[in-house]
Amino acid sequence: MTTFIADTLSKEQNLFNFTGNKIKTEDKKIDVLVKYEQPLVVVLDSVLDAEECDRLIELSKNRLERSKISADKIVSDIRTSSGAFLTDVNDEIIKRVEKRVASIVGIPVEHAEGLHVINYKPGQEYKEHFDYFAETSRAASNNRICTFVLYLSDVEDGGETYFPKLGLKVFPKKGMAVYFEYFYNDQMLNELTLHGGAPVVTGEKWIATLWFRRKKLI
Ligand SMILES: O=C(O)CCC(=O)C(=O)O
Ligand SMILES: [Fe+2]
């Protein structure tokens, strides 16, 4: 019994390296509201200001396309939102946001896929899934290791990011973010990061996601 407890408590390394309730980046003071230790899930407030949120929505509005899933880019009812990658947009605010997120996560921005803005209308959702690629996938040779979801809007009702295996729900609030990691040796820990975006009931949901890879992409 003692051994069992010792085993379950033994810690693996997290990527996120902050303790305490504040993170100071070059240009912003961010509040840590919630920390689930392992797998690491943190809820952060004041990551973006309203102007930055509005700008990211503005830049995406005319480029939205029906979201796809997996490395093979398939349209599926698992994910009914619309999205836009902002990789080829040259904008100061995008650069600033990517840099800020990278400094919170502690991984150089070259490991990140470009910001991906997603819009959910009432009834739209992203059913539970893992963000990392299956080992059999080509993309798994440089797999994702963590996810940073920025909430660009409030949602009147619904649209929470939920982690069914942790019994955790994060309700969207403009400027807030949820960050989680799945770069553990113990695959059981990675699997606990199963998550989804619940259907929006009333209003609209806008998020921007940044996924980080194990190795640099550029
Ligand atoms: O919509 C959400 O709250 C979650 C989004 C998500 O899981 C993703 O972009 O990978
Ligand atoms: Fe996801």
Side-chain angles (χ1 to χ4, degrees):
M1 190 62 186
T2 326
T3 327
F4 172 71
I5 292 169
D7 283 349
T8 48
L9 289 181
S10 75
K11 285 257 182 76
E12 280 200 52
Q13 198 84 21
N14 291 332
L15 301 166
F16 181 84
N17 202 16
F18 291 96
T19 51
N21 67 349
K22 292 243 176 337
I23 298 172
K24 271 171 96 173
T25 67
E26 216 171 85
D27 60 352
K28 196 118 176 65
K29 214 148 110 210
I30 289 149
D31 296 311
V32 182
L33 300 183
V34 176
K35 188 172 186 182
Y36 191 98
E37 292 277 354
Q38 228 154 41
L40 183 93
V41 182
V42 269
V43 180
L44 304 166
D45 198 13
S46 318
V47 181
L48 300 186
D49 60 32
E51 186 208 347
E52 291 166 335
C53 292
D54 296 343
R55 178 76 182 148
L56 293 181
I57 292 176
E58 202 50 50
L59 286 169
S60 314
K61 266 199 170 138
N62 300 324
R63 327 170 108 234
L64 293 175
E65 280 179 28
R66 171 71 198 264
S67 300
K68 307 205 167 79
I69 55 162
S70 89
D72 299 326
K73 312 240 182 317
I74 301 162
V75 168
S76 152
D77 68 356
I78 292 183
R79 193 178 192 190
T80 52
S81 52
S82 301
F85 273 101
L86 297 179
T87 0
D88 55 339
V89 182
N90 198 358
D91 182 271
E92 269 320 300
I93 293 199
I94 295 179
K95 283 201 203 106
R96 193 206 297 169
V97 169
E98 288 181 344
K99 194 167 162 206
R100 189 180 303 153
V101 171
S103 76
I104 297 169
V105 176
I107 300 174
V109 75
E110 291 78 15
H111 289 248
E113 299 172 33
L115 270 179
H116 184 220
V117 174
I118 306 170
N119 173 235
Y120 301 80
K121 305 245 189 293
Q124 296 183 344
E125 65 179 318
Y126 194 174
K127 293 201 171 99
E128 55 186 49
H129 63 278
F130 300 108
D131 282 354
Y132 51 84
F133 302 111
E135 258 180 59
T136 47
S137 153
R138 247 176 306 126
S141 62
N142 185 13
N143 215 334
R144 290 175 175 164
I145 55 176
C146 59
T147 303
F148 204 99
V149 178
L150 296 148
Y151 299 104
L152 306 180
S153 71
D154 295 331
V155 182
E156 215 174 301
D157 189 14
E160 65 272 18
T161 308
Y162 62 99
F163 297 81
K165 294 188 178 181
L166 303 177
L168 180 68
K169 288 181 182 172
V170 182
F171 292 94
K173 181 176 162 254
K174 188 169 180 170
M176 214 175 81
V178 61
Y179 165 69
F180 52 97
E181 299 184 357
Y182 33 86
F183 192 37
Y184 299 105
N185 294 315
D186 180 355
Q187 186 53 17
M188 295 257 285
L189 275 178
N190 298 327
E191 286 172 11
L192 291 175
T193 64
L194 184 74
H195 64 281
V200 168
V201 179
T202 318
E204 242 185 286
K205 174 182 174 188
W206 286 90
I207 60 169
T209 302
L210 209 57
W211 294 284
F212 286 81
R213 302 289 189 100
R214 190 161 57 81
K215 296 180 279 192
K216 289 186 182 180
L217 284 162
I218 39 173

